[in-house]
Amino acid sequence: MTSAAIGDLPPEAYQDAPWIQVLPWLAPYTPATARELTDLTPSPDWWLTESPAVTTMTAEHEDLCRHLARLFLVRHPEATFGSSFPTVPRRLPLSTLAAGARSRTAFQRLQLQTVGDLEALSVRSLYDVRGTGQGTIEDVVAALVSAAIVRSGDQVDVDTVEDHNRSDAVPPAALPPAQIQLLEDLTQLAGWRHIRRRGDQPLLNVVIEDGAPEQMQEVALRLNSLTAADISANVGSPDPVLEFTALLSELDERQVRILCDRFLGRTPRKLADLATEFEVSRERVRQIENKLKELLAGTFHFGTSIGNLLASLRVEIQPIAALDRLITLHPDLARDVPGVDVPLWLVLDRLDDYFEVTDGWAAAPDVSAAREQTRTLLEDFASEHGVVDVAAVTAATSMPQNELLAWLSWCGYVLHNNQILTRTRSLSDHAAGLLAATGEPLHIDELQLQMSRDNSIRSLSNQLGDDERFVRTDRATWGLASWEVEEYTSIRQQIGLELAAAGGQVEIGQLVESITSRFDVSPSSVQAYAGNGDYEIVQGVVRRRESPAAPRKAPTATRRLFRHDDLWKLRITITRDHLRGSGFPVPSGVANLVGCAQGEVVELESDLGTQSIRWTGLQPASGTIKRFLDQLEAREGQTAFLEFGPYGRFNLSIEDQVEPEADPLDQAVALIGAEGVGTPEEATMALADAVGLPLDAKPRRILAAYRQRGDDDIAGLLEQVWTRPRHQWANQAGGVDRAAAETGQRSGPGAADDGGETTANDDLDNHGTDTDDLTDSGSAGQDDDQLSAGRGWVPVPAGYRSVGWVRPHEAEAAVLAYQLHADVPVHDGDRITGWARYVDDSSMDASRFRANVTVVRSRTHGERIVCWIREHEAFSITQAATEERSVSILGPDDTTTGLVEYFQPGSAAAERYRSTTRLLRA
C-alpha cells in the first residue's frame, strides 16, 4: 500500500478555474512538449483549454493526480510547493490530505502540521528526509494535486473517502504514522519474498547489544524469526500464463496475429508482409504494434503476476543467468502459452527489453553486454599475467560456481588449476597465464599439451625465448621471470659462468657434477661442450680455448651441399615446419661457407630481406624461409635448394620432381641442382664440380667422393651408370655364401655380428678387410662380455645381418659425436665406460665403413671396438630404448636399411649381452 485510495467526486466538487490557474507550472507545456499529458483525456490540450471540473468528467481522479505528480517530480524538482499549488489553503492540516502512512511519517520527521509549513519546500528538499524515496514524494505531490483541484469546502469529503477505504484492522488514530508505515513496508517486503520464492527466509536482522535485558533479547529473537509466511500469503495472480491468455482474449484477431508474428515469432515477420496480408499500410501495422507495446507495458506492471515474475528475473540476471536455473526457480517459465504456442520465458523475453535469452543464457541487456561486463569483472581480479582465482570471482557474483564456470567456458575463457586464464590470444600470453596458474616451471612438451594450440614446439620455444617475462629453468623447462629462479641459458654459457666463478679453470669432474646437479643435462653433453668451441680440456682441467677451433667440415665435404661455379646449393625437403616459419638446423659446412663461427650470427642479403645463419648452439641453424616458400607457393614434400651466392647473397629455388623412370644420370644431376646439362659428359663435369673435384675427374673418383660425403642417394644412382650390376659380381662368388662374399665374415652362431656394405667391382678402388680382426661393417668378433660360439647365441631374423649389441647410452654418445664432430665419452652412471670416436669424412675408415663414428668400450688392457655406427642407426637405437620396442631403420632416402631389436630388461638375451638393443643391417 503506497497511499490512501481516492474516490471520484461529483463535478461540482472540483475547481472550475482554468488548469493553469490551479497549477501554474502547466502553462509552459504544449501538446508537442508534453506527450505524457495528451493521452490522459480525449482533448489533446486539456490543461490549456479546460478546468479540473471538465477534465475529471473523462479522466479518473486517481490516474490524473498520479500522472501530474510524476510530471512535477521529473520536470520541477526545484520548484517550491507554495508557488506550485497556490489554491491549496495554507491552514489545511496535512493529516487531511489524501496521503498514505509514508507521507505522514515524512511530515512527522519534518515536524510539519499544515500545508503552509510545506510552502518553502521542494521535491529536492524532501529527498533529504531520512527514509524518503521517490514513491513517498510522489504520494505527497499527488495529494497536493488532489487538494488543488478539489474545492476547499470538499476536503473533508475527500478525507472521509480516504478513511472509509483504510483497513479497519488497525484504526489510524490508534498508531503513529511511522508504525502504520512499518506495517505496510513489512507487508510489501513479505510479498516480494514470496515472489522470489524465499518465503521461509527471515525478514529482519535485529542486533541487540551484549548484556541487554532478557526481555529485549527475546524481542530480537521474535523479530529475527519473522518470515514472509508470517506476514502475508503469496501476492498477485497465482498463474501468469492465465494472466497473459486473459489479455489475448481482449485483443482482436489482427492484434493477436501482429503480437505473435512481430513479438513472439522465432523470426519476426516484416511489416510489409503483414501490411499486404491485412490490406493496410505499413504505417498502420506499425501503429498497431506501438499500441500493443504500450498496452503490454501498462498491463503487466509490478503487482501483477507477470510483472512480479519479470521483477524477480531482473534480480536473478545480474548480468547473466542460466535459463535452466531460472526455470527451476520459477517453473511457470517452461509452460507453453495457449494461443501463441511458445514457452512463457520467450514471451517475457520479448515483452521486457531488460534481458534477452541466447543459447540457454538469459543476459541483461544482451549477451554481448554481459560478456563485456564479465570481462571487466575479471580484469578487476586479474593478476599481472591475467590469471583470476575462481573462488574470488565466484564470491563477487550471485551465480553458483558451476554455472559461472559454464558461462566462462561459453565465453571462451580457459580454466586451469582452479584459475581462469583471461589472456590466451597470443602464444606467449597463454603460456604466461598457464605457468602462473600452475605455480611452477613446466617442460615445453607439457606447456604445448596444456595449451592445445596448433603450433609447433619450436615456434612456442622461440616465442618464450623472445619474451622477457619467461626464463628457461632447464634445457626444455620454462618458468616466469618474476619467480626469480635460477635461469638456464645453455650448457656452453653455464660452463662460462662456472669458469668465471672458479677463476678461469675448473676440473672436468667438478664441472660435470655442478651443472648436472642443477639442470637436466647428461654428463656426456657437458663433457662434449667442455672440449669444443670456446673451451678445451687439458689434463682433465677445463679452460677457455686459447686459439680458435678449426671449422668442423669443409663445404665440399658436406652432404647435400653442392658447388656450381661461384654459387653453392644446399638441398632440403620442404617440411611442415618450414611452411610454418620455423628455423631449422644446417650443416656446419654451410656455416663455414658463409663465415659463421661458433657463437656468431651472419646476416645474408636477399630480394626478400635479410636471411640469418646463426651458430649459437651445438649446431648451426637457418632463420625462417617461409616468405620464400610463400612467394613460390611451395608445398610440403617438395625439393628446394638454399642458394648461397657471392658477396653474402641468398636465394631459394624449387626443383621439379624427376620421374623415377628417368635415366639415373639425369636423376643424379637433378639432385645436385645442376642446370643446363644436356650430355653425359656435361653431367659428369657438373657432378665433379659440385663436390670440388676437377672437371676431368674419373667416374670412380667422383663416385668415391659422393660416398665419402654420405650422399648415398646420388652414389646409388651413379653406381647404376658407372659400375656393373651387383648380381654380376655377386654370382662370381660361386659356392661361397653371399653374405660372406660381401663381408668376408664367418657364418653361424659363433660368427662375428656384422653386416658388410662395401662392394668389390672392377671400376672402383677397394680397401682390404684385414685390419684388427674387423669385418667391413666395423664390428669386432664377439666382445669379451658376449658368449663364445654355440652358447647363448640369439638368432638373427631372415634378411638381416647382426652388427653388434649397442647399448642405448652408447648410441646417445654416438648421436652427440655426430652433432659435435668430436669424440664423446660414454657414461654409465658416474663411470666412463667407453667412447664414441669421431673421424672426418676424409678418413679411410669413414669411406670404408660408410660411418664417421666408432663405438669402443674401455677394457683393462685397452679399448675394444663394438662397431662402426651410422647417425640414423644411433638415432633408431635411442628411439627403440625410449619406446621399448623394436624399430626399423630408415636410410636417407626413407628405405629400410636395418632393424634395431629391443629385448626387455631382465630377459636372457639382455642379461647375457648386457644390452637391451641389438643393431642389424639389411
Side-chain angles (χ1 to χ4, degrees), residues 164-237:
H164 176 74
N165 287 308
R166 292 179 190 155
S167 171
D168 295 332
V170 183
L175 294 173
Q179 295 184 28
I180 296 175
Q181 177 188 342
L182 174 62
L183 292 176
E184 293 179 358
D185 290 345
L186 284 176
T187 301
Q188 291 190 35
L189 179 59
W192 176 245
R193 289 290 175 82
H194 281 299
I195 293 171
R196 299 281 295 125
R197 299 295 194 271
R198 297 177 180 177
D200 57 344
Q201 294 184 0
L203 290 174
L204 303 173
N205 182 22
V206 179
V207 179
I208 296 295
E209 304 86 351
D210 294 338
E214 182 178 352
Q215 293 87 341
M216 297 311 302
Q217 298 284 355
E218 292 179 355
V219 168
L221 179 62
R222 288 194 298 272
L223 290 174
N224 289 336
S225 64
L226 197 64
T227 66
D230 299 323
I231 301 298
S232 67
N234 199 353
V235 296
S237 172

Side-chain angles (χ1 to χ4, degrees), residues 196 311 474 506 552 581 603 625 660 736 750 756:
R196 299 281 295 125
D474 216 322
V506 63
R552 290 183 182 176
E603 303 288 349
I625 55 173
V736 181

Side-chain angles (χ1 to χ4, degrees), residues 52-187:
V54 175
T55 303
T56 52
M57 292 181 181
T58 56
E60 295 184 0
H61 183 111
E62 174 75 14
D63 289 343
L64 192 60
C65 292
R66 287 292 168 192
H67 277 84
L68 291 172
R70 290 167 188 158
L71 179 66
F72 186 80
L73 255 68
V74 174
R75 301 201 182 187
H76 304 277
E78 306 292 346
T80 61
F81 293 125
S83 61
S84 302
F85 302 95
T87 62
V88 179
R90 295 298 183 264
R91 295 183 179 180
L92 183 69
L94 293 174
S95 60
T96 64
L97 293 180
R102 291 186 300 182
S103 300
R104 290 196 292 273
T105 300
F107 296 154
Q108 182 184 30
R109 288 173 177 165
L110 288 171
Q111 298 182 355
L112 307 179
Q113 301 295 329
T114 65
V115 171
D117 297 334
L118 276 174
E119 190 169 8
L121 300 179
S122 66
V123 168
R124 188 76 70 196
S125 58
L126 285 184
Y127 275 115
D128 296 332
V129 180
R130 175 172 52 87
T132 301
Q134 181 173 334
T136 300
I137 299 174
E138 181 183 316
D139 196 26
V140 170
V141 176
L144 289 174
V145 172
S146 177
I149 65 176
V150 175
R151 295 176 184 273
S152 58
D154 295 310
Q155 294 297 324
V156 176
D157 295 336
V158 175
D159 195 45
T160 302
V161 172
E162 174 194 358
D163 290 343
H164 176 74
N165 287 308
R166 292 179 190 155
S167 171
D168 295 332
V170 183
L175 294 173
Q179 295 184 28
I180 296 175
Q181 177 188 342
L182 174 62
L183 292 176
E184 293 179 358
D185 290 345
L186 284 176
T187 301

